């Protein structure tokens, strides 16, 4: 039986149908001051259930998932598998400056305290997600699906827009059967501001695919597109699992010159964003690991 928080309802229906299982019912409401209320309506006593929920801001998405897991446990569920199509605070996986803390470790602890007995995350920022959890935790990669519609010509260049994307870009190149990979060096002088450091000159390549785990403001991808275009690359595709798409990120990326932007359905997208994107489904990949 699959339960979902409100943000992931559409994906939960697709997963339930692909898995041939039933959807569980739960009620989610807000009090006048904004606090959340969650009530499980289906009988879960003694059952193994799934609690599905992406957790981007606002933090209420986290509250919904944690409350759902706890409500399932307090109503007698034997095991709760938490599935996070998008893991919010996943980028908080390391300390960069003195005084910071590892946000991912805290949200991992919260999932465990709420009652999750297993955790599944789609394409997390941290490669080894299991080291943040004490319960079994694993990642589902949907890179194959994201790249399934790409025509890999011989001169296709696979681009990691920063070092963190290097491993993903390497895997993408193997899937696409190309061997040209370039890794850009990115710095962030301020939050949400991106600068690429000078790097190897790209010659003779006409097509490129930029691969990343997520698009937030679009700054990273736009910087990579500009660098590629300055090197004469004209046919540019962007493939990223999670379309957070803050502000007008999708529009910015298309205006910068991306011919196509592929994201997945781990996060909902608006109708106007849909017109600028290709959306790949993740339900089948998630069902395979449940
Ligand atoms: C960073 O480590 C991530 O992998 C993404 O590159 C980054 O979060 C994208 O953010 P933005 O779209 O705001 O540049």
């Amino acid at each position: 039986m699959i339960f979902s928080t409100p943000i992931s309802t559409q994906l939960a229906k697709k997963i339930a149908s692909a898995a041939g299982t039933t959807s569980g019912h739960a009620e989610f409401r807000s009090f006048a001051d904004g606090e959340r209320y969650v009530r499980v309506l289906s009988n879960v006593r003694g059952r193994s259930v799934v609690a599905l929920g992406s957790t981007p801001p606002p933090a209420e998405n986290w509250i919904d998932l944690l409350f759902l897991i706890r409500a399932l446990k307090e109503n007698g569920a034997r095991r709760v598998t938490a599935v996070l199509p998008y893991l919010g605070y996943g980028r908080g996986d390391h300390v960069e400056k003195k005084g910071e803390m590892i946000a991912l470790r805290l949200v991992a602890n919260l999932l465990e305290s709420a009652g999750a007995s297993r955790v599944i995350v789609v394409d997390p920022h941290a490669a080894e997600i299991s080291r943040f959890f004490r319960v079994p935790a694993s990642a589902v990669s949907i890179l194959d699906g994201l790249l399934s519609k790409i025509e890999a010509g011989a001169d296709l260049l696979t681009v990691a827009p920063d070092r963190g994307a290097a491993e993903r870009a390497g895997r993408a190149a193997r899937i696409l059967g190309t061997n040209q990979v370039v890794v850009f060096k990115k710095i962030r002088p301020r939050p949400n501001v991106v600068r690429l450091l000078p790097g190897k000159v790209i010659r003779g390549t006409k097509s490129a695919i930029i691969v990343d785990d997520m698009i937030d403001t679009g700054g990273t991808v736009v910087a990579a597109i500009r660098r590629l275009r300055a090197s004469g690359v004209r046919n540019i595709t962007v493939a990223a699992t999670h379309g957070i798409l803050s502000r007008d990120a999708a529009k910015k990326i298309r205006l910068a010159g991306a011919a196509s932007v592929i994201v997945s359905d781990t996060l909902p997208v608006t109708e106007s964003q849909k017109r600028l994107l290709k959306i790949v489904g993740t339900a089948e990949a998630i069902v395979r690991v449940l």
Side-chain angles (χ1 to χ4, degrees), residues 16-38:
S17 136
T21 184
T22 48
S23 296
H25 298 288
E27 182 187 351
F28 291 82
R29 282 196 283 115
S30 287
F31 292 102
D33 62 357
E35 285 189 350
R36 298 291 286 161
Y37 169 91
V38 179

Side-chain angles (χ1 to χ4, degrees), residues 91 125 162 186 188 192 194 212-220:
R91 282 173 285 185
H125 185 68
D162 57 27
K186 175 176 93 177
R188 285 193 187 274
N192 295 329
V194 168
D212 208 351
D213 59 337
M214 66 183 81
I215 300 170
D216 186 353
T217 63
T220 301

Side-chain angles (χ1 to χ4, degrees), residues 248-270:
D248 54 353
K251 199 167 150 197
K252 254 174 38 188
I253 294 170
R254 292 303 299 273
L255 286 176
S260 133
V261 182
I262 308 166
V263 295
S264 79
D265 62 355
T266 56
L267 291 166
V269 290
T270 63

Side-chain angles (χ1 to χ4, degrees), residues 146-147 149-151 156-159 206-212 221 225 228 233-240 253 257-262 278:
L146 276 186
L147 303 177
K149 301 259 166 13
I150 307 287
E151 301 260 328
L156 181 71
L157 178 71
T158 308
V159 178
K206 292 281 169 276
S207 307
I209 177 161
I210 301 169
V211 183
D212 208 351
V221 162
I225 292 173
L228 290 167
V233 182
R234 285 289 166 262
N235 182 17
I236 302 170
T237 300
V238 177
I253 294 170
S260 133
V261 182
I262 308 166
K278 285 186 187 159

Side-chain angles (χ1 to χ4, degrees), residues 47-93:
R47 299 188 67 151
S48 273
V49 297
V50 170
L52 181 95
S54 282
T55 53
E60 279 67 25
N61 286 314
W62 263 112
I63 296 288
D64 282 353
L65 182 61
L66 295 167
F67 283 16
L68 174 62
I69 294 167
R70 178 55 67 93
L72 290 165
K73 284 304 286 181
E74 289 193 3
N75 282 277
R78 190 165 51 84
R79 285 175 59 80
V80 180
T81 298
V83 179
L84 290 91
Y86 171 73
L87 168 68
Y89 290 98
R91 282 173 285 185
D93 56 5

